Amino acid sequence: MSLEFPDEIVTQAFVRYVTLPDLDGEIALITLDNGKDHTRPSTFGPGGLASLTTALDEIEAHSPAVRAIAVTGKPFVFAVGADLDGVPRITDRAQALEIGRLGHAAFARLRNATVPTFAFVNGAAMGGGIEIGLHCDYRTISSGAAALALPEVFLGLVPGWGGTWLLPNLVGAGNAVTVIVENALNQNKMLKPKQYLELGIGDVLFEPADFLERSLEWAAGVLRGDVVVPRAEIDRGRAWDDAVAWGRAVADGKVHGASPSPYRALDLIAGAKTSTFEDGTAAEDEALADLIMGDELRAGLYSFDLVQKRAKRPVGVPDRKLARPVTKVGVVGAGLMAGQLALLFARKLEVPVVLTDLDQARLDKGVGYVHGEIDKLLSRKRVSPDQANRLKALVTGSLTKDAFADADFVIEAVFEEIGVKQQVFADVEAVVSPECVLATNTSSLSVTEMASKLQHPERVVGFHFFNPVAVLPLLEIVRAEQTDDASLATAFAVGRSLGKSCVLVKDAPAFVVNRLLTRFLGEVTRSIDEGTDFLEADRALEPLGLPMSPLLLLQLVGPAIALHVSETLHSAYPSRFYVSENMRKVVEAGKTAFLDWSSGAPVVDPSVAELYGPRNGGPTADEIRERALAALAEEIRLMLDEGVVAAAQDIDLCMILGAGWPFHLGGITPYLDRVGVSEKVTGQRFLAPGVASLPA
C-alpha cells in the first residue's frame, strides 16, 4: 500500500556534514524544515517520513566517515508530530495501520543506527517531534523551546510512533504517565525545557543564542568520551504497576471512561514493562489504527481546528480597520471581578486603568487586590521588578467617574440588575466622549435594554468574560440591536489584545454558554426536586466525560448566581427553563454548596438534604441524561434558528473554551449527532456526516 496525503506540506530532511576540532570524522546533521515560517510548524505525513528515510539512506551511503547522526529543526521549531490535516483522508483501517508503521519504520532507523544519534531540540516539539528525539541516544534542549508535549491523548490518540514504549523505559512509568496521560488530560499541559531536563528526557540545556554550536560541541564531547551521560535505573517492580493504576484513576476522574485514548495509552505503558521494543511498537500500530477509525478522534480534531483556526478568525466581525485605538480603560466597580478585569487590561494592553466605586474602602480594597496580584506575579518571577512597578502605576482608583473623561473603553462589573447597570452607563456617558466604547460584563441581561436610554446606544457592547478571567480563554462579544461596526470592531481588537478567543453572539438571554449550561443543569435540578438521590443525579452525566459534575459546577458558579440566571431565562422562555424552588431555599439559607468533600469523598450536606426532604422516586440516571441531552439539542437548534451565533461550530467553540467541555466530544453538537439525539429531537443533524465524525 502506498499512502499519500495530496495536500501535505512536506517536511524535508536536509543533510549536511559537520567537522569539529578534535573530532575525527563528521557529524551528519539533519535539519527538518517544511519551508514555512514558525507559524506553520514542521509535521510528518507520508512525504515527510519518506524524506527522512531518504536522508538516512544518504548518510548510510556516506559511511564510514560519519561518526554520529544529529537531528534538529528550523528556527523556533523542532517538529510537532504527525500531519493531522491528512487524517480525514484516512478512510479505512488498513490506511490507519500504514501511517503508524511508516512512522515507526522511519524513526527506528535512528534507534538502530550503527553510530550514536542525537536530537538537538531547538524549539517546539510535540507528539512525533518528542518521539523522534526518544529514538535518539542523546537529547539536548534549548531553554527557548516554547512547547513540549505529547498531546495525543488530549486529541483522542496515543503516542503512536514509539512514545508509549520508549518514554517509560527512559524515565520510568510514573513520569511517562504524567507526560502522556495526566498532562494531556489537563488541557494539554506543556512541559517547560527545565522540566524536560529534570524528567530525564533531555540530557543538557543550552541557551537559544548559540544552541546549535553548543549542542555540536557537547555531542563531540560524548563521542570523544569526555562527556558521560548517566541513565537512571528504571524500577520495573510494583512502582510501574502503581503508576499505571494511578494513571487509570486520573483518566477515570477526567473522562469517566468516555474517551478510549487514555486507557489505550495506559495499556501500552503497562505492556512496555516487559515487552520488546518491536512488540510494543506493533501494539502501538494496532491502537493507533483503532483510534484513527473512531469518532472520538475525528471530534477531537474538529475541536482542535475550532480552537486553532475558527477562534482566530471569528465569523461576522467588522473590518479590523474600523477599530479605534484604546489608550485608557475605565472599570466601574472594585469587587473581585472588577479587580480581575483591571489586572488583565493593565497586563495585556499596558495602558492606564481606573477603577471607580461608591466609597473609599471598597476602592482601596479593589486597587489593593490588583497590586497584591502583581506582587504575586513578581514573587513567582512572572514579571520583573520594573514591570511590577509599571503595572502598579497603571492601576489607580477614583471615587468619581470624571476619571473616565479621556477613556476610550469603559467596562462595568456591578450587580446584575438592569436598573443599576442602566444608571451606571448613564453616569459614564455624561463624562466620556461619544466614541468611547461602553462594555458590560453581564452574564444574562439584555445589552440592548441596558443601552436603550443612552444618547449613544450604538457604542454599547456585551463583553462577557468567564471566571477565572485570567484562565478561561473565551470572550463572548455581544452585538446589541444598535451597536455600530466601529464599536464592535474596537471590542474585538481589545479582546484579541487581551489574548482571548472571541465569538460574536447576538443579544439573546444568557448568550451561549450560560444559556446552554442553565438548560442542561435545569434537568438535573428538576430531577432532584422530583426525588432522585443527589449523588445519583450528580453521576448521571459521567458517560459524557465532562470536566466536572453538575453539583460541583453549581458550587463553582454559586447557587445564588445559578438561581438568578435560571430566573432570567425562565422569564424569557418559561416553558423551557426550570427554576427550582428548593434551590431558592438553599440560597436563602446562605448555602454555597450541595456537597461536602471534607472526608475526601462527596457527601450531601445534611442541612441541604433537610431543605429538600426525603429522597424517593424521581428519574433514574439514564433518564436524567436522556432528558438533559434532549434539552441541549432542542436549545441549540433554537439558538441557531434565532441567529444567536453564525453556525453550530461557534456553539462548540464556546462550550470548549468557556465551559471546558472536552475535545473528544467536539464541544457538544458532534456528540449529539453521534448518539442520534439531534435527529430524534430536531429531525436533523447539526453537522454533515464526515464533519467531526468518520466519513459517511
Side-chain angles (χ1 to χ4, degrees), residues 45-46 60 69 81 162 196 397 405 413 499 527 566 581 623 637 640:
E60 201 171 280
I69 301 169
Y196 181 90
S527 71
S566 68
E581 292 306 316
E623 289 168 339
R637 175 51 58 198
L640 293 173

Side-chain angles (χ1 to χ4, degrees), residues 41-128:
S42 303
T43 56
F44 293 109
L49 294 171
S51 180
L52 176 62
T53 299
T54 300
L56 291 166
D57 287 342
E58 178 196 314
I59 293 167
E60 201 171 280
H62 197 80
S63 293
V66 173
R67 290 282 310 276
I69 301 169
V71 183
T72 194
K74 67 182 184 181
F76 310 110
V77 176
F78 182 66
V80 297
D83 179 7
L84 297 177
D85 289 343
V87 170
R89 298 185 177 278
I90 299 175
T91 57
D92 63 50
R93 195 177 186 281
Q95 292 175 317
L97 200 58
E98 180 71 6
I99 194 66
R101 289 172 175 169
L102 282 174
H104 278 132
F107 289 6
R109 293 281 298 276
L110 289 164
R111 174 178 163 79
N112 298 327
T114 57
V115 295
T117 52
F118 297 82
F120 299 157
V121 183
N122 63 301
M126 290 188 280

